[in-house]
Amino acid sequence: MRTLARILATAAVLIGAGAMTRQDAPVAPVPAVHANDRVMGRDDAPVTVIEYASFTCHVCGDWHALVWPEFKRRFIDTGRVRMVIRNMPTPPAELSIPAAALARCAAPERFFDTADALFDGQPAILRGGDQGAWFDAAVAASGRTRAQIDTCVARPEIKTFLEAEIAAGAAAGATTTPAFFVNGRRVHDRSLGGLEIAIRTAEEGR
């Protein structure tokens, strides 16, 4: 899957530059959930949690390893929360951008499986592990063939989508990862307890 890095090498530079130029801009509202988002949970859940994450951010990886399973059990599986993950790639761009594109190109219903595979393999890749093996595991979880993934990530629309997603997240204040928004409000305490307080507050309409 090394072709992903070559296909998106230029996009990595453009997207990284675009995100940085927006860090000092006034904070805009986080974009509402839209049809192109990847969502887990009931559509009518009273609370929406949006996470901006990078597949090469070790803090994101730790959150998904240590907090995500209980977060999902407590809030998503019970119908209290619908969860959205959006891309905010971090260095090294030659890994994070292809990983974001691969996840985006997964079958929509397999996005979270693909994200799990990328986060599960993150410790090894950050220690210098084999990039091809990391992407192979994600492709296996994606519900697509390798050829389908390669064709998808080469589409100009994927680059455009990632640029727009990153720019909107940066404009909303997601300049570090992971960045969480609960019903549109930025929550800086990403612990399970901190997010639970924010979710309860949202449920109560405060």
Side-chain angles (χ1 to χ4, degrees):
M1 196 55 60
R2 295 182 187 277
T3 53
L4 287 170
R6 294 196 298 270
I7 290 167
L8 292 171
T10 302
V13 175
L14 293 174
I15 292 173
M20 288 188 292
T21 58
R22 291 169 173 82
Q23 288 185 11
D24 296 328
V27 174
V30 65
V33 177
H34 51 76
N36 286 327
D37 272 320
R38 300 300 186 240
V39 181
M40 177 183 287
R42 286 171 38 181
D43 290 339
D44 62 349
V47 177
T48 298
V49 176
I50 297 173
E51 177 193 6
Y52 284 88
S54 168
F55 293 116
T56 58
C57 160
H58 72 88
V59 181
C60 301
D62 289 345
W63 191 89
H64 278 268
L66 302 174
V67 180
W68 168 247
E70 181 62 16
F71 181 94
K72 178 179 179 296
R73 186 194 69 80
R74 188 178 300 187
F75 302 116
I76 299 174
D77 294 348
T78 57
R80 296 172 64 185
V81 164
R82 62 174 176 169
M83 181 75 178
V84 178
I85 296 180
R86 293 174 178 165
N87 292 292
M88 183 60 68
T90 55
E94 65 270 18
L95 293 176
S96 62
I97 297 291
L102 194 162
R104 182 67 203 173
C105 286
E109 69 276 10
R110 299 293 292 275
F111 170 83
F112 283 87
D113 296 324
T114 307
D116 286 345
L118 289 165
F119 280 125
D120 288 348
Q122 187 199 89
I125 200 69
L126 293 183
R127 291 194 300 268
D130 182 67
Q131 181 180 343
W134 188 45
F135 287 138
D136 284 346
V139 171
S142 72
R144 307 286 195 202
T145 65
R146 180 188 298 269
Q148 287 173 325
I149 292 292
D150 282 341
T151 298
C152 176
V153 300
R155 291 164 48 203
E157 304 95 290
I158 297 300
K159 172 180 173 291
T160 300
F161 177 84
L162 292 176
E163 286 178 328
E165 192 166 58
I166 292 164
T175 53
T176 59
T177 52
F180 290 94
F181 295 83
V182 177
N183 276 8
R185 293 183 179 179
R186 177 73 188 272
V187 177
H188 293 278
D189 185 349
R190 55 180 173 258
S191 69
L192 186 66
L195 288 167
E196 181 166 21
I197 290 170
I199 289 166
R200 286 181 177 176
T201 299
E203 287 174 329
E204 294 166 2
R206 293 189 282 122

